[in-house]
Amino acid sequence: MLSSALITLLPLLASLPFTLGLDNNSARSASVYQVITDRFARPSSVSSTCNASDRKYCGGTYSALIEKLDYIKGMGFDTVWISPIVENIGGTTGLGEAYHGYWTLDADKTNDNFGTADDLKSLSTALHNKGMYLMVDVVVNHVAATSGGSFTPNADYGPFSSSDNYHKFCWIENYNNQTNVEQCWLGDDQVALVDLATDTDTVKNYWNNWVKELVSNYTLDSVRIDTVKHVQKDFFPNFVSSAGVFIQGEVLNGDASYVGAYQKDAQVNPFNYPAYYPLVRGFNQTSGDLTELVEMVSTIKSNFNDPTLLGNFLNNHDNPRFESTVTDLSLIKNAHAYPFVTDGIPYGYYGSEAGFTGGEDPANREPLWSSNYDTSSTMYQYFASLNSARKAAGNASDTFYTNQMTVSPLSSSSILIAKSPLISVLSNSGSSASDASVTVQSSASGWSGNTEVIDAISCETLTTDGSGNLAVTVKGGLPRVFIASSQKGSVCSGSSTNSSSGGSSNSNSGAMRLDGRGWIVGAVGAVLGGMMLAL
């Protein structure tokens, strides 16, 4: 017989929202940490040298990643993006081994270099038990081969063992010709990325069923899609619908009108490459022009259905690390701040917190264990502060994640980013610059007179004047990220790095997460277990 307490609890359990993974709404509040599975963490039993330039497997695994989740969560990231999980071509090619996961062989099998399917399921469970999300990278545009025009598929390619599954051989030669981009092949004779015929029903149906099963089998919360611009737009709506979770896609192009069409027509939320290029140019030197970045914000607003769903980043696995050419810590901090204080979803790339300086691929794919996972480093603490400020703003305002920012120049070397209740001043004056004074007008911040605000980075408190204007000193070119003290939550309290992501001011924190799949299972299970013991 059920106890009266359990009977009382059952209606509550039935009423709990139990959504599947991240959707557009909940994804806005996510903060994503990208890892290359092979390079993030490996078992202690593996001690061989790992040189990024060798382009070889270094032993990173899902199981070892599980052991380092608190390292990621300690910076305030709540979502982990891992490398593609499918079986890749084996052996050594002219471009090394397939350690990165992007050289698909058989999409029906998993890459056992990273662990077993059960290991991947354990990673998913471990993330969910910590109130975190799992994003998996997928490649639908191509498979890989060590030959170009002479490529002939065979049974090793699993579902794509027939030549009918591929576009006829041709290298991409004209990126201004979209048909050439979509139907010809990436790569070269060392590693050809053989273009799948994603315009055929056979290939479309396979991928739609595959992604649905992928999300279900591994309880995924989000999917990142590689090489989106190389697949025709009409492929994606059904694929996105089949996935049933939030989709972020790589459209590697800086033209806002070109990239924006993928959000409008393909229903894929792109990474913000249009902002990336002026961001790098604006902060990679003290003479950088921030006007281009300010103007791009307006261009993005007019070319995207929803800029608050774009993926913002400074570093990733495809582009040289910002730190490969910039050594000024103030410039580095300002550039890294931008993705966290603007419209969209911030992405951090592993190793940025460790001060890695790798340039072009493969140099930007260093092994993180060489840093000893130092949680006391300047940039580790900096990312924790940025995530804390962003989450405090989201908790303080139901509209923070959906309201679009305004960006305006404050001086020749600084810009104001107003995304209420977060107000940021970014500068490219550099660490050697003299202190500079700027004023944040109440018309931009929304602050009233005599409002106390706190800088989430320095923890300095300031007070607006009687009109709500704030006099700000930019010290040593460092960024300032302000929020009203009454709204700061755990900012500068010393506990911010352990806070859970909240979707809005009514979000729950800790283990009882109600905004995603499975977060509440452990807590409810413990309650039910205790009750059953009492029966």
Side-chain angles (χ1 to χ4, degrees):
M1 184 174 181
L2 294 177
S3 70
S4 59
L6 181 55
I7 292 173
T8 301
L9 184 60
L10 288 176
L12 172 63
L13 296 178
S15 67
L16 288 174
F18 202 63
T19 58
L20 297 178
L22 290 168
D23 58 14
N24 284 1
N25 250 357
S26 54
R28 288 189 184 92
S29 65
S31 183
V32 186
Y33 183 83
Q34 179 194 0
V35 306
I36 291 181
T37 304
D38 181 68
R39 301 297 168 82
F40 179 76
R42 65 182 183 180
S44 57
S45 58
V46 180
S47 59
S48 55
T49 300
C50 179
N51 294 315
S53 60
D54 292 341
R55 303 175 188 250
K56 293 182 178 180
Y57 282 101
C58 288
T61 65
Y62 303 131
S63 296
L65 173 53
I66 291 172
E67 299 301 316
K68 299 298 181 184
L69 292 182
D70 285 340
Y71 171 86
I72 298 172
K73 190 175 182 180
M75 282 179 280
F77 292 103
D78 58 20
T79 303
V80 179
W81 159 17
I82 64 172
S83 307
I85 68 165
V86 301
E87 182 184 39
N88 274 217
I89 60 174
T92 300
T93 73
L95 297 176
E97 298 174 344
Y99 68 90
H100 41 70
Y102 292 96
W103 293 346
T104 300
L105 179 64
D106 187 345
D108 281 340
K109 297 179 180 178
T110 57
N111 189 336
D112 57 13
N113 289 283
F114 304 150
T116 65
D118 285 341
D119 291 336
L120 180 55
K121 291 177 182 178
S122 295
L123 172 60
S124 178
T125 299
L127 281 162
H128 294 163
N129 286 343
K130 291 181 179 293
M132 300 172 75
Y133 303 97
L134 177 60
M135 170 186 278
V136 167
D137 211 327
V138 302
V139 183
V140 297
N141 176 66
H142 55 261
V143 299
T146 53
S147 59
S150 61
F151 169 74
T152 301
N154 56 43
D156 292 340
Y157 286 88
F160 303 125
S161 58
S162 168
S163 58
D164 293 338
N165 300 139
Y166 301 93
H167 288 134
K168 293 181 179 180
F169 170 72
C170 58
W171 297 121
I172 298 175
E173 296 178 344
N174 182 3
Y175 275 85
N176 293 316
N177 181 323
Q178 192 61 26
T179 300
N180 190 251
V181 169
E182 292 173 0
Q183 297 191 6
C184 291
W185 301 11
L186 290 160
D188 55 32
D189 283 321
Q190 295 183 90
V191 177
L193 302 181
V194 188
D195 206 74
L196 287 165
T198 50
D199 46 355
T200 65
D201 288 342
T202 299
V203 174
K204 286 180 183 177
N205 291 337
Y206 170 79
W207 281 129
N208 291 340
N209 292 329
W210 177 86
V211 75
K212 183 177 181 178
E213 292 181 4
L214 180 79
V215 169
S216 175
N217 289 344
Y218 300 105
T219 323
L220 305 185
D221 304 293
S222 182
V223 169
R224 184 261 187 186
I225 308 177
D226 185 63
T227 49
V228 167
K229 73 179 182 182
H230 296 282
V231 179
Q232 79 281 359
K233 294 185 184 71
D234 66 14
F235 167 88
F236 289 107
N238 285 336
F239 184 82
V240 170
S241 177
S242 297
V245 294
F246 179 72
I247 300 290
Q248 202 92 71
E250 178 212 24
V251 184
L252 210 167
N253 190 296
D255 184 333
S257 62
Y258 179 90
V259 181
Y262 286 87
Q263 189 180 55
K264 293 176 180 178
D265 302 331
Q267 299 179 22
V268 172
N269 296 301
F271 283 91
N272 200 349
Y273 268 101
Y276 165 76
Y277 294 107
L279 172 63
V280 170
R281 288 191 288 266
F283 288 101
N284 66 1
Q285 55 186 323
T286 55
S287 59
D289 182 9
L290 296 175
T291 304
E292 182 189 8
L293 181 59
V294 173
E295 293 174 347
M296 179 54 75
V297 171
S298 296
T299 302
I300 287 171
K301 287 183 178 183
S302 63
N303 282 279
F304 286 85
N305 283 349
D306 190 348
T308 68
L309 290 172
L310 300 182
N312 293 324
F313 65 97
L314 179 66
N315 289 334
N316 65 22
H317 62 302
D318 286 325
N319 300 101
R321 292 184 186 271
F322 184 77
E323 298 84 350
S324 66
T325 58
V326 180
T327 58
D328 186 307
L329 186 58
S330 289
L331 292 176
I332 290 170
K333 284 188 171 183
N334 277 278
H336 273 297
Y338 186 86
F340 292 84
V341 301
T342 51
D343 295 343
I345 302 161
Y347 282 74
Y349 182 47
Y350 87 101
S352 297
E353 76 279 7
F356 283 1
T357 60
E360 294 278 1
D361 164 23
N364 59 352
R365 302 174 178 186
E366 311 96 315
L368 188 61
W369 48 85
S370 64
S371 73
N372 294 316
Y373 305 96
D374 182 9
T375 60
S376 65
S377 72
T378 297
M379 291 305 293
Y380 183 98
Q381 296 298 325
Y382 182 63
F383 285 116
S385 295
L386 290 172
N387 274 315
S388 179
R390 184 172 182 270
K391 289 172 184 176
N395 287 331
S397 170
D398 286 329
T399 60
F400 171 71
Y401 295 114
T402 53
N403 277 353
Q404 293 185 27
M405 64 186 175
T406 60
V407 181
S408 56
L410 276 177
S411 69
S412 60
S413 61
S414 62
I415 58 175
L416 173 67
I417 301 171
K419 187 172 173 64
S420 182
L422 209 59
I423 307 297
S424 306
V425 177
L426 303 186
S427 166
N428 66 0
S429 57
S431 58
S432 298
S434 301
D435 290 354
S437 297
V438 295
T439 300
V440 177
Q441 301 290 333
S442 61
S443 57
S445 68
W447 292 325
S448 57
N450 304 308
T451 298
E452 183 183 270
V453 302
I454 187 168
D455 179 358
I457 307 304
S458 67
C459 295
E460 177 186 7
T461 56
L462 302 173
T463 304
T464 64
D465 65 19
S467 300
N469 302 324
L470 184 70
V472 176
T473 301
V474 177
K475 304 175 182 178
L478 290 170
R480 309 299 297 264
V481 179
F482 296 107
I483 189 169
S485 294
S486 62
Q487 299 173 311
K488 75 181 185 70
S490 61
V491 168
C492 294
S493 69
S495 61
S496 61
T497 58
N498 292 319
S499 63
S500 296
S501 171
S504 62
S505 60
N506 63 357
S507 295
N508 292 274
S509 61
M512 297 286 284
R513 295 274 308 257
L514 304 184
D515 57 346
R517 169 181 50 197
W519 283 205
I520 197 167
V521 170
V524 172
V527 172
L528 292 177
M531 289 181 172
M532 293 305 290
L533 287 174
L535 292 180

